[in-house]
Amino acid sequence: MDSDLRHRHAASFGAAANAYAAHRPDYAHDAIRWALEPAPGPRVLDLGAGTGKLTATLAAMGTDVTAVEPDQAMLAELRRSLPEVAALSGNAESIPLPDSSVDAVLAGNAMHWFDMAVAGPEIARVLAPGGVLAGLWNTVDDSVDWVAGLARASGPAAIGQRDTPASWRTETATLHLPTTDAPVHFGSPEQAGFQHGQRRTADSLVATLGTRAGMLVMPDEEREANLARIRGYLTTRPETSAGEFTLPMVTCVLRVRHL
């Protein structure tokens, strides 16, 4: 993805901040615990925090969490829902925190937007010695037959290359590295997956997929056609056509340590 398209996708969420807050899932607690396991202390930065899906769980788990988010609409939603959490305007390439001020930097469905040639040194700057950087992604579990069919029906704009566990593993293995000759600030990556799920109806799952960046940047007519196709598929499956169901998911984690 070229830089202009990346920026357009990354900037697409603000207009759908309310829908994002309402429909995006939280993250498996075991995944968060694994991400934080090597951290030298409780101070955590949720970087690219969005509306606070990951922030809320970090706060509930007792960490000393600070949220940083560049989009003002997303940040406003985060501050409204989590008034007790320090929430700052900023991004991965310009983090408004002092040197060595956090023990872990976590990013929920956000790390793929970072320009690691610039963000890498910034993240390393705010991390304490021995600190951890971890990206978390909620993927759909396509080992389940109807979910594999959903991925095919949805197309790559809604369920893309990082949105199923096997393709996620390949797509994220080097995300902690700069794409230039800039210095590397982190050690060898570790990857792990943790079972998760989200209670959905056909309508709410369609709404969730409608908050994906690839869908948000589509022309209205094309997006509505895509969402109608997804809704049509869900009505044909016994697992999803009659009320609430659990969407099988895997929270996948990429974890690296500050060199």
Side-chain angles (χ1 to χ4, degrees):
M1 184 183 297
D2 65 41
S3 59
D4 287 344
L5 185 56
R6 181 189 298 271
H7 177 74
R8 185 178 172 218
H9 280 223
S12 65
F13 298 110
N18 290 340
Y20 192 104
H23 296 295
R24 286 293 184 108
D26 63 1
Y27 297 85
H29 288 204
D30 285 346
I32 298 171
R33 281 190 280 267
W34 186 82
L36 293 175
E37 187 178 47
R43 301 169 300 169
V44 181
L45 167 60
D46 183 3
L47 187 55
T51 62
K53 290 291 183 176
L54 178 57
T55 313
T57 304
L58 287 166
M61 292 172 71
T63 69
D64 178 10
V65 61
T66 299
V68 168
E69 166 58 35
D71 187 281
Q72 294 305 301
M74 302 283 270
L75 185 60
E77 180 64 30
L78 190 157
R79 287 170 170 163
R80 183 197 64 76
S81 62
L82 297 168
E84 73 283 4
V85 172
L88 308 175
S89 179
N91 56 43
E93 294 76 24
S94 181
I95 301 172
L97 292 177
D99 296 358
S100 302
S101 57
V102 297
D103 301 298
V105 174
L106 268 55
N109 279 83
M111 193 170 162
H112 49 277
W113 303 122
F114 300 171
D115 176 0
M116 288 303 290
V118 182
E122 265 293 272
I123 293 168
R125 178 185 66 78
V126 301
L127 274 173
V132 174
L133 166 65
L136 296 89
W137 288 262
N138 277 320
T139 67
V140 295
D141 187 356
D142 63 345
S143 68
V144 178
D145 179 68
W146 76 261
V147 181
L150 173 68
R152 291 190 294 271
S154 298
I159 298 180
Q161 293 177 311
R162 287 179 302 274
D163 296 328
T164 58
S167 59
W168 168 87
R169 188 169 291 273
T170 300
E171 289 291 317
T172 64
T174 60
L175 273 185
H176 62 295
L177 300 174
T179 56
T180 66
D181 294 331
V184 175
H185 294 273
F186 303 97
S188 299
E190 301 171 273
Q191 294 175 307
F194 301 85
Q195 293 298 316
H196 195 29
Q198 184 185 28
R199 292 296 289 173
R200 298 279 78 184
T201 64
D203 285 343
S204 67
L205 180 51
V206 169
T208 300
L209 295 174
T211 68
R212 299 294 179 92
M215 301 293 285
L216 291 172
V217 300
M218 278 183 181
D220 290 347
E221 186 174 340
E222 183 180 357
R223 181 170 59 255
E224 289 307 314
N226 274 270
L227 294 176
R229 185 179 67 250
I230 296 168
R231 185 177 287 105
Y233 170 77
L234 294 172
T235 64
T236 70
R237 297 293 308 209
E239 301 91 342
T240 59
S241 60
E244 281 198 339
F245 55 88
T246 296
L247 172 65
M249 302 171 67
V250 180
T251 298
C252 294
V253 188
L254 170 72
R255 183 176 74 184
V256 293
R257 304 187 196 196
H258 181 17
L259 292 173

